[in-house]
Amino acid sequence: MRQLALFALLPLLLVACADQQEAKTAQPDVNAGKAMAAAHCAGCHGLDGRGIAPGIPHLAAQVDEYLFASLVAYREGKRIHAALRDMTKQLSTKEMHDVVAFYSTLPPLEAKTDKKALTLSPYEKGKAATKVCASCHGEDGNATEPGMPSLAGQQPRYFVSALMAYLHGRRNISTMETMLRGLNPVDMEHMAIYYASQTPVRRGSPAVGDPAAGEPLTARCGGCHGAHGVSHDAMTPTLAGQDAQYLVSAIKSYRDQTRVHDVMLDDNTDQEIADIAAFYATQESKAAESGPVTVHELSAKCDRCHAPGIENPTMAIPKIHGQNRDYLIRALRAYRDGKRGSSLMHNMSLPYNEAIIESVASLYANQDAR
Ligand code: HEC
Ligand code: HEC
Ligand code: HEC
Ligand code: HEC
């Protein structure tokens, strides 16, 4: 039975293959493609291949196999876009090859170069944004005033979530809340990457308890906060080297519910808290990030595939130099959020993904298309 079914299908399969084969080998008709583009695509992509509005990709000089694969992906619903899905359903394979041949053979577009966008990394933007914090949190996030938390080397996701907690009143500290009004999540990521890369300096504030008595009490804490309080989890704060008075007040704030969080242990006595704080305050700390990351370091990763002239026989790699910035941002978010499947694309689950996406998009958008 099964064999029979296969037999019946075989001719169909062969025909389908032959059809594809033919479409591939037949020379595409650039003039027919141009007429098609003028009638159906130019309203959005221009006849020169320039997207007419932010968020619409430039198609000029784009790799033809990539353009073709994109159209197929829209048609099959693997890339989601209602208008393009409807449109591609109307096009034959031949018409797709023609219109793609037209756009891919157009000359590359000129980009307006914005030098500032080329050179400013999230790290540098963060450094500039944290100037206003230095009066309390110290240069580079190493605070000196007793009771004031250091931010140097802190874990980035925790940093952002702490800012959000102040901003939304889940931590009731009005000085911080007023400081933070007007910051958006991308600004916060910039600051997070800057502080995470700073070397923490051990605090010299007076001890509040007995470190030796505190050490055994921290056995229950290490599973989350790391050995000796150096966290390796972006959501969990590093405690090592933090100011002892601040640690005391932070631990108590969970107990007293002025900070609300469901995972923290908060059943210690005042003396135990003082001893725990003394232990952590005297531990050697370590920065969450190894060092400042420039935009060019980030893009070096991408250029392994996307640099002009790189050809890969196994996959169609799009050109991204000179592409529309808003479109690049949309595309990268789509990969990150799993809305645009690609077997290899982009591990964007970094703590600073929005900041990095925006910087990398600016970098490529402001380079000449090639
Ligand atoms: C109504 C506006 C509109 C029209 C008309 C339109 N497009 Fe698009 N096109 C878009 C937008 C918006 C995107 C980006 C969608 C996304 O984010 O995936 C896009 C994406 C594409 C892409 C993917 C490019 C890339 O870099 O991944 C291709 C290829 C494409 N369009 C080809 C065409 C062709 C060929 C036509 C005409 C047959 C056409 N489009 C008509 C708006 C349009
Ligand atoms: C006027 C002094 C002051 C300024 C300026 C200030 N902060 Fe704070 N910040 C504090 C105090 C006090 C705390 C501790 C509050 C608490 O106990 O929850 C704090 C706590 C924090 C925390 C939580 C630390 C932790 O380990 O949980 C973060 C993150 C933070 N500040 C970031 C910032 C940033 C970013 C800026 C600049 C935009 C800034 N602060 C400016 C006084 C300040
Ligand atoms: C199940 C994981 C977990 C355990 C166990 C745990 N913590 Fe935490 N701790 C966290 C997380 C997550 C946060 C961040 C909470 C927030 O966002 O307010 C935190 C926050 C803190 C803070 C605030 C740091 C700052 O910079 O403001 C201190 C202090 C702290 N923990 C101490 C301890 C101590 C001491 C213990 C052991 C008695 C402990 N924690 C056990 C997960 C844990
Ligand atoms: C291993 C090779 C490889 C690396 C490394 C790589 N890419 Fe890609 N990239 C691809 C391929 C292949 C596609 C096409 C995937 C698809 O069909 O959606 C793509 C697609 C894209 C697109 C969509 C372009 C468009 O026109 O829609 C953008 C934007 C992009 N990559 C940016 C980046 C950035 C930024 C980095 C570095 C953080 C990067 N890529 C690293 C191979 C790579």
Side-chain angles (χ1 to χ4, degrees), residues 66 301-302 305-306 318 320 327-328 332 335 340 345-346 360:
Y66 171 73
K301 271 203 324 201
C302 318
C305 291
H306 288 287
I320 58 174
Y327 173 70
L328 289 175
L332 291 169
Y335 290 121
R340 201 174 148 178
M345 270 300 289
H346 317 312
V360 173

Side-chain angles (χ1 to χ4, degrees), residues 270-330:
D270 282 5
Q271 185 56 50
E272 286 169 336
I273 289 174
D275 294 342
I276 289 170
F279 170 74
Y280 279 129
T282 50
Q283 301 308 303
E284 196 73 48
S285 190
K286 197 168 172 286
E289 291 289 338
S290 52
V293 184
T294 65
V295 176
H296 286 96
E297 279 170 302
L298 290 173
S299 64
K301 271 203 324 201
C302 318
D303 280 342
R304 278 188 300 142
C305 291
H306 288 287
I310 291 199
E311 301 234 345
N312 190 317
T314 59
M315 56 187 162
I317 300 175
K319 295 182 186 173
I320 58 174
H321 291 76
Q323 185 53 284
N324 176 282
R325 178 178 179 273
D326 286 19
Y327 173 70
L328 289 175
I329 291 176
R330 277 177 58 100

Side-chain angles (χ1 to χ4, degrees), residues 176-188:
M176 281 302 303
E177 195 196 325
T178 39
M179 284 299 311
L180 300 173
R181 253 181 245 142
L183 290 180
N184 66 40
V186 177
D187 299 328
M188 294 182 186

Side-chain angles (χ1 to χ4, degrees), residues 40-41 44-45 57 66-67 74 79 81 84 87 327 330:
H40 300 292
C41 324
C44 291
H45 294 288
Y66 171 73
L67 289 178
Y74 288 122
R79 275 181 77 172
H81 196 275
L84 284 163
M87 198 175 323
Y327 173 70
R330 277 177 58 100

